[in-house]
Amino acid sequence: MCDVCGCGNHEHSENNLVVSDDSARKNVEIKKSLLSENDRVAESNRKHFDEHGILAINLISSPGSGKTTLLERTIEALKDEISIGVLEGDIETERDAERVRAKGAAAVQLTTGGACHLEAPLVHKGFHALEKQMRGYPDVLFIENVGNLVCPSSFYLGEHIRVVLISVPEGSDKPAKYPKAFKTSDVFVITKSDLLPFFDFDVEKVKEEALSLNPNLKIFVVSSKTGEGLEDWFNFIRKEVSRKKAQTV
Ligand SMILES: Nc1nc2c(ncn2[C@@H]2O[C@H](COP(=O)(O)OP(=O)(O)OP(=O)(O)O)[C@@H](O)[C@H]2O)c(=O)[nH]1
Ligand SMILES: [Mg+2]
């Protein structure tokens, strides 16, 4: 349970918001003020990224959906043409940062020490550490959020593109059950497509459900294991990085 966003409290549910006493009311007010402080810092992150022509991409998914593995493949494929920086969000350990560094990208691990999502001030701090490590700015900044399909969707970090991932073993009923992640994202990546023969996962149904929540979603179906669909994903990153550069010049 996260002791920052208060997701352990029953008052957290937006549809069933119960403000029955003073302490509940205080909780709601603290949450609102946390969110507005987060948004203020996120806007300043965004300004900083824009000034330096950096495309920032926030990846959100449940634990183990394949975020780091997709980043590893992306770094392998694009590192010679695009400068890549990574902020790795986890509750504990340096493991994911070590994995992406081993593939040749600069990376800073952000450990939240308990919080189940990243917030803009930690991203701000982490990005300055990354700038130092890189002695400059990346073309693209990937921010891998803490594995969680709920709370990260409520915290804008200053990103230009938000990507939600669902892996085949998680099941195709997820968009409607976790709607905010889909409503606030720009891209939906279905991962581990190599496992489709072994799971009851209906790709067309999940696409349809996700698009009914957010018709603007761009959808990719990929396997980081076999490489299926990855070229489309890489081309998307190439195109968005070029677009960002063109806006900055
Ligand atoms: N079969 C298969 N396994 C995959 C694929 N992508 C990732 N995996 C495996 O899934 C497991 C979790 O992958 P990660 O990339 O660490 O997942 P993550 O989303 O970064 O996990 P957290 O950072 O803990 O939230 C690992 O054992 C990967 O090898 C894929 O495309 N196919
Ligand atoms: Mg990871």
Side-chain angles (χ1 to χ4, degrees):
M1 285 300 162
C2 171
D3 48 9
V4 175
C5 70
C7 60
N9 298 335
H10 66 279
E11 292 88 356
H12 191 68
S13 160
E14 285 173 8
N15 289 333
N16 299 304
L17 196 65
V18 181
V19 185
S20 53
D21 57 27
D22 271 359
S23 83
R25 196 169 289 116
K26 264 185 213 147
N27 263 341
V28 171
E29 269 158 26
I30 289 166
K31 190 185 153 204
K32 273 191 191 152
S33 106
L34 272 175
L35 282 172
S36 66
E37 172 58 10
N38 180 78
D39 284 353
R40 191 189 62 73
V41 181
E43 277 311 328
S44 134
N45 288 346
R46 170 74 171 239
K47 198 163 162 255
H48 190 61
F49 300 148
D50 286 343
E51 278 166 6
H52 298 286
I54 302 157
L55 177 73
I57 302 180
N58 180 7
L59 303 174
I60 61 180
S61 82
S62 305
S65 298
K67 299 179 291 301
T68 313
T69 312
L70 182 63
L71 288 180
E72 290 177 312
R73 299 290 162 267
T74 307
I75 294 160
E76 283 167 349
L78 302 181
K79 69 177 175 199
D80 294 335
E81 49 185 298
I82 291 172
S83 146
I84 301 174
V86 183
L87 295 178
E88 278 293 350
D90 273 301
I91 289 175
E92 294 291 351
T93 85
E94 181 87 13
R95 287 179 184 168
D96 282 2
E98 283 165 2
R99 280 173 62 185
V100 298
R101 271 188 221 118
K103 295 295 174 186
V108 168
Q109 182 75 48
L110 307 175
T111 45
T112 64
C116 59
H117 59 272
L118 291 177
E119 293 184 18
L122 189 57
V123 167
H124 170 87
K125 209 169 141 195
F127 188 70
H128 284 308
L130 191 67
E131 279 173 8
K132 274 198 193 134
Q133 196 184 115
M134 298 186 80
R135 296 204 180 96
Y137 302 104
D139 296 322
V140 60
L141 170 70
F142 288 105
I143 306 167
E144 179 181 336
N145 222 305
V146 179
N148 182 318
L149 199 49
V150 183
C151 303
S153 5
S154 295
F155 290 82
Y156 172 50
L157 303 175
E159 72 268 23
H160 301 97
I161 298 174
R162 183 175 289 186
V163 180
V164 58
L165 302 88
I166 294 279
S167 65
V168 164
E170 288 169 64
S172 39
D173 60 344
K174 294 300 173 286
K177 290 172 75 174
Y178 300 90
K180 193 161 187 181
F182 290 83
K183 285 181 180 169
T184 63
S185 289
D186 308 287
V187 175
F188 173 27
V189 183
I190 299 167
T191 59
K192 311 192 188 181
S193 64
D194 56 288
L195 298 179
L196 280 168
F198 311 104
F199 286 87
D200 195 9
F201 187 98
D202 187 332
V203 174
E204 289 317 309
K205 213 166 146 194
V206 80
K207 281 183 179 175
E208 201 181 299
E209 191 167 283
L211 288 170
S212 75
L213 292 163
N214 179 355
N216 298 320
L217 278 175
K218 191 165 178 52
I219 303 179
F220 297 91
V221 182
V222 306
S223 166
S224 294
K225 192 167 177 166
T226 64
E228 185 196 357
L230 287 182
E231 206 48 49
D232 289 345
W233 163 255
F234 300 151
N235 284 336
F236 169 73
I237 301 295
R238 287 185 180 104
K239 201 180 86 203
E240 291 300 323
V241 166
S242 308
R243 198 213 300 261
K244 187 79 208 146
K245 288 268 165 242
Q247 279 169 0
T248 312
V249 175

